[in-house]
């Protein structure tokens, strides 16, 4: 029951976070995005997904299973996702040019998707070793 409540709560938080993010981006030009909005975009999915995953990891730990971090997955997935989600709008266009496909990473949609990617990576990189 507690796990299902955690899943429901995390889903409601994700919806609320997406509404707040969309509301915040709605009328802003891309290059005028405040810094707090970037951090909010990264933190909301991490907290929402974490509410679900923490119960699973806690249950495994109670059984005596060893929990470890897959550092390779965290490095290969986490760092690129964090960079895309947290860099200010226009950074990729400045570095790679407006005709590059990497300039698409400056759009708010890519930023939100990268934040979700980061959240999933942070919580799915935990591995369980049976005793």
């Amino acid at each position: 029951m507690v796990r299902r409540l955690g899943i429901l709560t995390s889903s409601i938080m994700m919806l609320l976070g997406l509404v707040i993010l969309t509301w915040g981006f709605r009328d802003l030009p891309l290059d005028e995005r405040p810094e707090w909005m970037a951090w909010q975009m990264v933190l909301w999915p991490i907290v929402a997904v974490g509410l679900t995953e923490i119960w699973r990891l806690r249950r495994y730990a109670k059984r005596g299973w060893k929990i470890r971090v897959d550092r390779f997955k965290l490095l290969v997935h986490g760092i690129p996702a964090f960079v895309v989600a947290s860099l200010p709008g226009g950074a990729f266009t400045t570095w790679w040019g407006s005709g590059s496909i990497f300039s698409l990473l400056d759009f708010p949609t890519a930023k939100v998707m990268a934040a979700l990617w980061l959240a999933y990576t942070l919580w799915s990189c935990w591995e369980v070793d049976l005793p």
Side-chain angles (χ1 to χ4, degrees):
M1 180 65 178
V2 173
R3 183 175 185 277
R4 288 182 184 227
L5 186 60
I7 292 171
L8 177 66
T9 304
S10 68
S11 177
I12 291 169
M13 287 187 69
M14 283 299 293
L15 288 173
L16 182 61
L18 289 174
V19 166
I20 290 170
L21 288 173
T22 304
W23 191 347
F25 283 127
R26 185 184 54 188
D27 297 328
L28 283 178
L30 189 60
D31 57 345
E32 294 180 15
R33 181 178 58 141
E35 189 63 30
W36 65 266
M37 200 175 288
W39 287 109
Q40 180 186 36
M41 179 173 54
V42 170
L43 291 177
W44 271 103
I46 291 172
V47 170
V49 173
L51 283 174
T52 303
E53 291 299 311
I54 199 75
W55 295 110
R56 181 180 61 89
L57 294 172
R58 200 170 131 232
R59 189 173 66 238
Y60 290 154
K62 278 185 176 180
R63 292 181 184 167
W65 296 355
K66 184 179 176 187
I67 300 171
R68 64 178 175 80
V69 176
D70 182 354
R71 290 186 198 118
F72 179 74
K73 185 175 185 178
L74 191 60
L75 178 74
V76 172
H77 280 276
I79 291 176
F82 179 76
V83 167
V84 171
S86 62
L87 280 178
F92 290 102
T93 302
T94 302
W95 293 341
W96 301 96
S98 60
S100 169
I101 60 168
F102 294 112
S103 67
L104 296 173
L105 296 175
D106 285 329
F107 284 97
T109 305
K111 304 280 186 191
V112 172
M113 289 172 60
L116 294 171
W117 177 25
L118 177 63
Y120 178 77
T121 300
L122 288 176
W123 289 107
S124 68
C125 71
W126 294 92
E127 300 288 332
V128 178
D129 294 332
L130 299 176

